[in-house]
Amino acid sequence: MILAAETNESLAQMSNMLVYSSMAVYTLAFLAHIAEWVLGSRSKVGRTAAALTSPAAAPAVTVQVKTAGGGTAVLDKPKVVTRSGAGARDVPDGPGAAGGSVKGDLYGRIAVSLTALAFLIEAAGVITRAMSVQRAPWGNMYEFSTTFSTVVVGAYLGFLVAKKNVRWIGLPLVTTVLLDLGVATTWLYTDSDQLVPALHSYWLWIHVSTAIFCGAVFYLGAVATLLYLFRDSYENKLATGGDPGSFARSVMERLPSAASLDKFSYRVNAAVFPLWTFTIIAGAIWAGDAWGRYWGWDAKEVWSFITWVGYAAYLHARATAGWKGRKAAYIALIAFGCFLFNYYGVNIFVSSKHSYAGV
């Protein structure tokens, strides 16, 4: 018994060490992302800016085809661009955070490699924490935070493995993960311990794991939505003859177009919304097993439902004429704000049945 306790304590200390080690590697990834943005080619960015402000059509690509008489004819194949909306401007995507330069791309690849390494180290820390208590590592806010940051980085890396152009998320993602882990290790840390009897259920694995995954994807959608608002304002300024500053031009022109950002945020939010619906249903079933009632208007339950309503309103707004674009984006950010309050606000400031181990 004593040996088992000592082993669990050693595993808990190893978990803490791995989490701090991942923070060190994330910091290096953050610096590499900064280098990617700073050292990227500004000339490529300038050419993209010129393409936005030029009234001429995008450059054509000549294609030779065989004619019926045996000769050749030259056809113009227009450059594919994204359309931000019906009757709105056509805007090409930016060259990316690296700005199209070899040096910028090198630092970007280094940043992604470091992010992947930090992800593996942090994941090992989460697994070691689970081994130290022999349960799912989601019993308090510290464990939830470390698992959440691990999953959100894993989702980002999954998009990259799937060949999706999402490297522009890297800098805000790593910054947020560092803040999340800093708060978790400084203010939310709780010694590993066993759960109260109500949480000893296989529904813990189902309900909480889906909640963490949904939050991670909602976060990626929120980042894309926020960047969409900035990029859309920038494109509007260019379209009306405005002259943005050099810093705004350097940053905004490397991002995907507003249409691409809007499309990405909509797709990820729409894809994960059914899973969030399942999360609420799974929580209700678990509550029926643990407390004898499926719904009791507990603060956590209420704000989970408010978050569901927020994202349902966003998806409905996207399908409603006159509410696409910025109006729908504001609803998406409000919905994600509800998710954050459900996690931090309810857990810290509101007493509920979901308050088990302090923070």
Side-chain angles (χ1 to χ4, degrees):
M1 193 72 176
I2 296 177
L3 181 60
E6 291 178 349
T7 301
N8 292 340
E9 180 64 25
S10 298
L11 288 173
Q13 293 176 358
M14 182 181 298
S15 172
N16 296 340
M17 181 185 68
L18 288 170
V19 170
Y20 280 111
S21 298
S22 71
M23 292 176 66
V25 181
Y26 278 128
T27 302
L28 295 177
F30 170 79
L31 296 175
H33 275 300
I34 292 293
E36 177 188 18
W37 281 89
V38 172
L39 300 178
S41 171
R42 293 180 182 274
S43 61
K44 182 70 173 289
V45 174
R47 290 196 297 273
T48 306
L52 287 178
T53 55
S54 174
V61 178
T62 59
V63 180
Q64 289 188 345
V65 296
K66 293 284 186 179
T67 63
T72 59
V74 177
L75 301 179
D76 288 335
K77 181 180 179 181
K79 181 180 179 181
V80 177
V81 295
T82 56
R83 179 175 290 277
S84 54
R89 58 193 177 274
D90 286 327
V91 179
D93 286 336
S101 73
V102 175
K103 182 181 291 187
D105 183 66
L106 173 63
Y107 278 100
R109 292 177 183 275
I110 292 174
V112 171
S113 300
L114 289 172
T115 302
L117 176 60
F119 163 76
L120 294 175
I121 296 174
E122 186 182 9
V126 171
I127 294 173
T128 307
R129 175 83 173 196
M131 293 171 60
S132 70
V133 290
Q134 299 178 2
R135 59 167 172 78
W138 311 316
N140 49 63
M141 288 185 69
Y142 168 77
E143 295 175 354
F144 191 98
S145 295
T146 54
T147 305
F148 174 81
S149 58
T150 303
V151 173
V152 74
V153 174
Y156 163 69
L157 295 175
F159 277 113
L160 291 178
V161 171
K163 306 298 183 182
K164 302 299 181 181
N165 181 23
V166 295
R167 212 163 78 183
W168 46 270
I169 299 180
L171 181 57
L173 170 71
V174 173
T175 303
T176 304
V177 167
L178 282 172
L179 290 174
D180 175 70
L181 291 178
V183 170
T185 55
T186 304
W187 290 296
L188 303 180
Y189 181 78
T190 303
D191 290 332
S192 57
D193 199 357
Q194 293 303 314
L195 300 175
V196 297
L199 293 184
H200 285 288
S201 170
Y202 61 89
W203 284 106
L204 172 67
W205 293 90
I206 300 173
H207 171 65
V208 182
S209 63
T210 54
I212 292 173
F213 179 78
C214 289
V217 179
F218 282 150
Y219 164 80
L220 296 179
V223 171
T225 301
L226 188 62
L227 292 178
Y228 156 75
L229 291 174
F230 286 116
R231 172 78 187 205
D232 186 63
S233 296
Y234 177 78
E235 291 179 9
N236 284 332
K237 190 171 186 178
L238 289 179
T240 55
D243 185 21
S246 59
F247 177 78
R249 187 179 297 274
S250 177
V251 173
M252 289 294 112
E253 292 308 326
R254 304 192 196 195
L255 294 175
S257 68
S260 295
L261 291 168
D262 187 40
K263 183 187 298 182
F264 175 82
S265 61
Y266 170 69
R267 286 180 174 178
V268 297
N269 286 331
V272 81
F273 178 73
L275 189 59
W276 181 250
T277 304
F278 170 77
T279 301
I280 296 177
I281 295 174
I285 296 174
W286 186 11
D289 290 343
W291 302 320
R293 86 314 183 260
Y294 294 103
W295 190 267
W297 297 104
D298 181 73
K300 182 71 69 172
E301 297 169 347
V302 170
W303 277 97
S304 295
F305 179 68
I306 291 175
T307 302
W308 184 91
V309 171
Y311 279 105
Y314 164 71
L315 296 177
H316 178 70
R318 286 291 307 238
T320 302
W323 276 90
K324 294 181 180 180
R326 298 183 68 87
K327 291 181 180 179
Y330 292 136
I331 298 176
L333 291 180
I334 292 173
F336 185 70
C338 292
F339 175 86
L340 290 180
F341 181 80
N342 187 30
Y343 175 52
Y344 287 104
V346 172
N347 284 11
I348 295 176
F349 302 112
V350 180
S351 177
S352 70
K353 279 184 170 292
H354 289 77
S355 302
Y356 289 109
V359 295

